[in-house]
Amino acid sequence: MKTFPLQIGTPDGLLFSGEVERVVCRTITGELAILAGHINYCTAIGMGQAHIILPDGSRRNAACIGGMLSMMHGSCSLLATTWEWEEDIDRERAEAAKTRAQEKLNQTQIDEQEYKIFRAKLQRALVRLSVNDH
Amino acid sequence: MAANMKAVKLRIKSVQNTMQITRAMELVASSKLRKAKERADNCRPYFQDLHKTLETIATGNTDFSSIFARKPVSDKWCYVVIAGDRGLAGGYNSNLLKRLEKEAEGKDYVVLPIGKKAVEYFRRRQVPILTESYAEVAQVAVGECFEISSLLCREFKSGKYGHISLVYTRFLSMLSQQPDFIHALPLTDLDQGREDKEPIRDLILYEPDSVEVFNAIVPEYLAGLIYGAVCESSVSELAARRMAMEAATDNAQEMIEKLNLNYNRARQASITQEITEIVAGSEGV
């Protein structure tokens, strides 16, 4: 299958740069797969599982949270706020974050700001765990 | 003569003490520098890619329905100024602020200072400050950058200012750092300087639509830019401090050598004088 150059960058570094067959991630409107030869395209990334298919057909899973995906002139750049490969996810930490966030959300005396923060934390933990479960 | 000797001796002592301090500061700066450089190196590709991608989008953009992509509504500028927390870093802070002065001349502007030195400076000059909650640049991590960016975007949307620019110090090498400017918002500012030729407008498909995409992307883009600039600035600050302290240590060394020479000369002179006195005295007997 045809491949295209993909770059995955986060504030913590350039995590991937090379040819891929396909990249799949969740955008703000739903799941999206990009194949070679896509027209110029730009969208915002939501929270969810993502994976890329390398030219040899192997698949790498990751947790992807926030950021943007743009396809310009045949090359794709995925600039995520967080992108963690399946093997890099710290399961214990995610579990701990999940329970901590749930406890906080169960309390009644938190204000709206705090509620938003902890809900986002819970969501992030759940995304990480779901990728790790895969 | 004896008094002179004592004065020189005291001076040598004091210079030595100063040298000890500058040397310690140099060592601290270089050990911190290594860590900061790693962070900046990691962040740089993201920072550059982000800016390049948005630049491409800005040049190609034909859809101005989002407020972030539209021509600015107000002539007021907002500068995010990233300086250091402490002095003794050579010209690091003053170069940056001078660069800002030059750029902002004659413009109506507010600032969001990051770093104690910037806060102090703007307070003294009585420039309107957006917020002082990020006074310590050392404490600004990714999370804070997102807070800053959402604050900036909220104010931008409310029309408080029409442009956002970043003023930071770019790390060129261990020996040279340069104050630099980035136009961040609106996106029409990004393709400035290339207006000489009509750019080829690429059509881009936005999903679901450009307004929503920009609303989601722009705060993240701004946060990424700020984080990148903070990383660059902090590594620049440390490099500048290391250099300044190295120079100070060298100067102290040189000064001590000179003072030692003076001291020896004074000692020699006093001995000669004593001998002369003794000889003159014995002749008199």
Side-chain angles (χ1 to χ4, degrees):
Chain A
M1 233 173 117
K2 245 175 109 177
T3 60
F4 62 96
L6 169 74
Q7 275 200 326
I8 299 174
T10 71
D12 297 324
L14 192 65
L15 293 180
F16 181 85
S17 178
E19 294 282 321
V20 293
E21 246 178 37
R22 188 190 327 162
V23 52
V24 178
C25 65
R26 180 170 296 171
T27 69
I28 46 174
T29 47
E31 293 280 330
L32 166 90
I34 296 265
L35 297 175
H38 203 289
I39 64 162
N40 292 341
Y41 181 78
C42 177
T43 190
I45 298 171
M47 282 184 177
Q49 297 174 24
H51 66 261
I52 59 171
I53 306 281
L54 297 167
D56 61 2
S58 61
R59 167 179 168 147
R60 285 187 83 181
N61 290 321
C64 174
I65 297 163
M68 65 181 284
L69 180 143
S70 70
M71 182 84 177
M72 291 300 285
H73 312 297
S75 66
C76 183
S77 74
L78 201 161
L79 298 167
T81 314
T82 314
W83 177 282
E84 281 169 17
W85 294 115
E86 190 181 6
E87 58 271 21
D88 296 338
I89 291 174
D90 188 341
R91 190 171 176 97
E92 273 166 36
R93 211 180 130 191
E95 295 266 17
K98 183 183 150 194
T99 34
R100 216 168 33 235
Q102 272 170 336
E103 272 168 25
K104 287 276 183 194
L105 287 176
N106 284 335
Q107 287 169 7
T108 39
Q109 68 272 31
I110 52 171
D111 58 33
E112 197 166 342
Q113 189 72 26
E114 278 178 315
Y115 177 74
K116 270 189 196 155
I117 292 172
F118 287 113
R119 206 183 52 186
K121 280 195 173 156
L122 180 62
Q123 270 175 337
R124 283 200 290 269
L126 287 175
V127 167
R128 287 195 175 105
L129 290 175
S130 74
V131 173
N132 202 258
D133 279 338
H134 219 65
Chain B
M1 263 311 158
N4 191 13
M5 260 165 77
K6 186 147 198 240
V8 177
K9 191 119 213 191
L10 273 178
R11 188 125 166 71
I12 291 176
K13 257 256 135 60
S14 104
V15 175
Q16 255 163 357
N17 283 340
T18 313
M19 192 173 86
Q20 246 166 17
I21 294 171
T22 55
R23 180 164 291 156
M25 283 183 73
E26 184 196 333
L27 290 178
V28 170
S30 35
S31 79
K32 276 191 190 164
L33 179 64
R34 214 170 318 133
K35 229 186 270 167
K37 188 160 185 302
E38 214 169 275
R39 187 171 81 147
D41 282 343
N42 277 339
C43 185
R44 199 165 296 129
Y46 174 75
F47 182 57
Q48 279 166 352
D49 263 8
L50 196 65
H51 197 246
K52 215 167 58 200
T53 313
L54 262 291
E55 217 169 50
T56 328
I57 290 175
T59 348
N61 191 34
T62 46
D63 185 346
F64 299 104
S65 37
S66 166
I67 180 158
F68 297 119
R70 226 175 282 157
K71 285 238 155 10
V73 281
S74 139
D75 258 347
K76 206 162 166 164
W77 291 73
C78 176
Y79 292 112
V80 180
V81 183
I82 304 164
D85 288 336
R86 272 171 276 252
L88 287 182
Y92 172 73
N93 288 314
S94 62
N95 284 349
L96 183 87
L97 296 169
K98 244 184 259 162
R99 177 84 172 80
L100 171 76
E101 283 292 300
K102 211 176 99 197
E103 188 71 25
E105 213 182 342
K107 283 178 187 156
D108 184 15
Y109 66 100
V110 293
V111 288
L112 195 160
I114 302 177
K116 273 187 209 147
K117 285 282 162 188
V119 175
E120 279 165 24
Y121 176 82
F122 292 118
R123 226 187 265 160
R124 204 167 49 236
R125 304 272 317 316
Q126 293 177 336
V127 174
I129 294 175
L130 208 58
T131 167
E132 285 185 17
S133 9
Y134 306 99
E136 276 202 52
V137 71
Q139 284 171 358
V140 175
V142 183
E144 281 75 26
C145 292
F146 275 90
E147 281 171 29
I148 298 174
S149 130
S150 64
L151 171 80
L152 284 172
C153 288
R154 210 166 45 233
E155 301 281 342
F156 185 82
K157 273 190 203 157
S158 74
K160 201 164 172 186
Y161 38 76
H163 304 263
I164 298 178
S165 285
L166 256 62
V167 194
Y168 73 109
T169 307
R170 199 204 298 209
F171 178 77
L172 297 173
S173 74
M174 286 292 189
L175 299 175
S176 109
Q177 301 87 34
Q178 199 182 35
D180 203 7
F181 243 85
I182 296 187
H183 295 295
L185 279 180
L187 297 177
T188 42
D189 279 4
L190 286 176
D191 59 352
Q192 263 180 7
R194 274 182 290 156
E195 282 162 27
D196 42 333
K197 60 174 196 264
E198 179 68 18
I200 304 157
R201 298 261 178 220
D202 290 312
L203 291 175
I204 306 171
L205 177 66
Y206 295 102
E207 199 167 271
D209 57 70
S210 76
V211 177
E212 244 178 89
V213 168
F214 282 134
N215 278 349
I217 284 178
V218 165
E220 301 220 7
Y221 148 75
L222 204 56
L225 273 192
I226 294 172
Y227 182 66
V230 166
C231 285
E232 287 271 314
S233 290
S234 56
V235 67
S236 300
E237 184 190 352
L238 289 169
R241 175 161 305 125
R242 200 188 66 96
M243 263 202 337
M245 288 301 117
E246 201 181 63
T249 312
D250 287 351
N251 283 344
Q253 191 85 51
E254 210 173 286
M255 217 159 154
I256 288 174
E257 269 165 34
K258 252 187 220 155
L259 287 171
N260 261 333
L261 204 68
N262 281 350
Y263 175 73
N264 287 340
R265 235 177 243 156
R267 196 173 59 106
Q268 193 79 58
S270 80
I271 292 171
T272 316
Q273 197 186 359
E274 269 170 41
I275 293 176
T276 329
E277 275 163 18
I278 292 170
V279 171
S282 68
E283 269 172 8
V285 171

